[in-house]
Structures are given as structure tokens and as C-alpha cells.
Amino acid sequence: MGIEQTPEAQEYILLWGEMGSHWGVNRSVSQIHALLYLSNRPLNAEEICASLALARSNVSTALKELQGYDIVRRTHVVGDRRDHFVAELDLWDMFMAIVAERKRREIDPIISRLNQLNVQMAQRNDVPEHVRHRIGRMHEFISTLTRWYQQVRGLKKSTLIALMKLGSKVARFVPGSSDKS
């Protein structure tokens, strides 16, 4: 077994699966990620199946999804021809990889579609002004968030951690803002 099956490890795996399902990720995908994260060595698919009582097809699909998120990678173990898997252990790298993939899958298509709607509306005279205005504002808002995300993503990890720890205190450095904490 790749991890010691303590009650705490089992509870963490269940908790991570529950949390994943709240975020729209399949429970077994999240549980496999949790198992690999806790494991002290690479695990092969059969070990994952046995540890979590999951079907081999389910594990294979989940491992592909986790690799797509770039939070699990395939590795090889000397003397064993099977593929083994390990999870990203750096929490910031894991978080940034998840956010980047969610943005690519969920936010980017919305921005693209809102842009198309703006182009369509610009060519028509029968769209009510309030509809045109609200769709335009939503497009601008999500685009602004995306630009901010890209800028933050470019920061060094140590800078990002320092900013996160500052919390609302960072507002002191913005002209015209007041710290209301």
C-alpha cells in the first residue's frame, strides 16, 4: 500500500472527494488525487483500484483527467513495467495548475462567447440598450478578472504568498482606498 490506511488518511480521502464533488469534479477523481497526494511512493492503477475499491476503467479515466490538470504525473519504477503515478506535492503549484485548467475549460469559452455576442449586437439595431450594456459590462468584468489573473500568475511564488498573507492590508497601497478592516 502506498499510504498507511489510518482513519485520518481515510477521512482525508473521503473529505477531498466530497470537496471535489462540490467543485464539479467527480468524487472518485478527487479521491484518487487525495490517495496519490498522501502516498509516500508512486502507485500503479491496480493499487489505486484496490485502495479505493474502484473499477479499473474508472481509475484509468480519472488518472487521465488528473494528468490533464497537471497535478498528477506518470512515472516509472525500476523493475516494474506498469505505469505508476504521483501527485504534485507543492501546494502552490497544485493550486495554480488547477486554477489554470479551470480557467481554460470554463472561463475562456465564456469570454469568447461574450465577445461574439458583443460583435453580434454591434451589427444590430434591435437589441435593447440595457441588454447591450449589461452583456458588455459582464464581458468587461470577466475580461478584467482574467487580465488580473494573468498578471498575478506571472508573479514569483514568494511574492504571491506574501501578497496573500497581506490580505486586505494590501489596500493601503492603492491610492484612494481606505482600510476598513
Side-chain angles (χ1 to χ4, degrees):
M1 189 64 51
I3 66 163
E4 189 177 329
Q5 288 290 334
T6 65
E8 295 80 10
Q10 291 172 349
E11 185 174 343
Y12 175 81
I13 291 167
L14 292 173
L15 176 66
W16 200 247
E18 182 70 23
M19 187 171 60
S21 69
H22 288 298
W23 291 346
V25 176
N26 182 290
R27 183 182 313 271
S28 58
V29 171
S30 298
Q31 289 178 342
I32 291 169
H33 180 252
L35 176 71
L36 290 171
Y37 178 74
L38 292 180
S39 180
N40 61 356
R41 66 175 177 80
L43 300 178
N44 62 51
E46 289 76 23
E47 291 173 307
I48 296 168
C49 291
S51 293
L52 300 175
L54 295 172
R56 179 68 166 89
S57 60
N58 194 0
V59 170
S60 294
T61 301
L63 288 168
K64 286 178 187 164
E65 184 170 342
L66 291 165
Q67 289 174 85
Y69 270 93
D70 204 24
I71 58 174
V72 165
R73 66 179 169 79
R74 182 183 6 225
T75 189
H76 295 94
V77 173
V78 175
D80 192 338
R81 293 179 23 196
R82 296 173 292 187
D83 290 331
H84 289 72
F85 300 89
V86 294
E88 173 62 58
L89 298 179
D90 183 292
L91 296 177
W92 285 98
D93 289 345
M94 182 191 326
F95 174 75
M96 293 304 277
I98 290 169
V99 170
E101 188 61 18
R102 298 288 302 247
K103 177 192 168 295
R104 186 188 70 77
R105 291 182 186 191
E106 299 166 23
I107 304 298
D108 291 351
I110 295 296
I111 291 173
S112 177
R113 188 65 186 117
L114 286 170
N115 189 52
Q116 291 171 357
L117 283 172
N118 279 330
V119 169
Q120 279 177 238
M121 290 186 301
Q123 299 169 356
R124 297 186 40 206
N125 296 327
D126 61 338
V127 177
E129 185 56 36
H130 74 278
V131 171
R132 183 185 313 272
H133 177 71
R134 290 177 187 172
I135 290 173
R137 281 184 47 216
M138 182 61 72
H139 181 245
E140 181 182 342
F141 176 74
I142 294 175
S143 295
T144 299
L145 285 176
T146 300
R147 284 189 300 276
W148 175 79
Y149 162 77
Q150 294 293 56
Q151 292 169 354
V152 167
R153 186 164 171 76
L155 296 174
K156 290 189 298 186
K157 190 186 313 183
S158 59
T159 303
L160 181 57
I161 291 169
L163 279 173
M164 300 262 309
K165 287 181 178 179
L166 274 174
S168 65
K169 293 176 188 161
V170 76
R172 291 185 297 198
F173 303 106
V174 178
S177 68
S178 63
D179 187 357
K180 295 181 181 176
S181 46

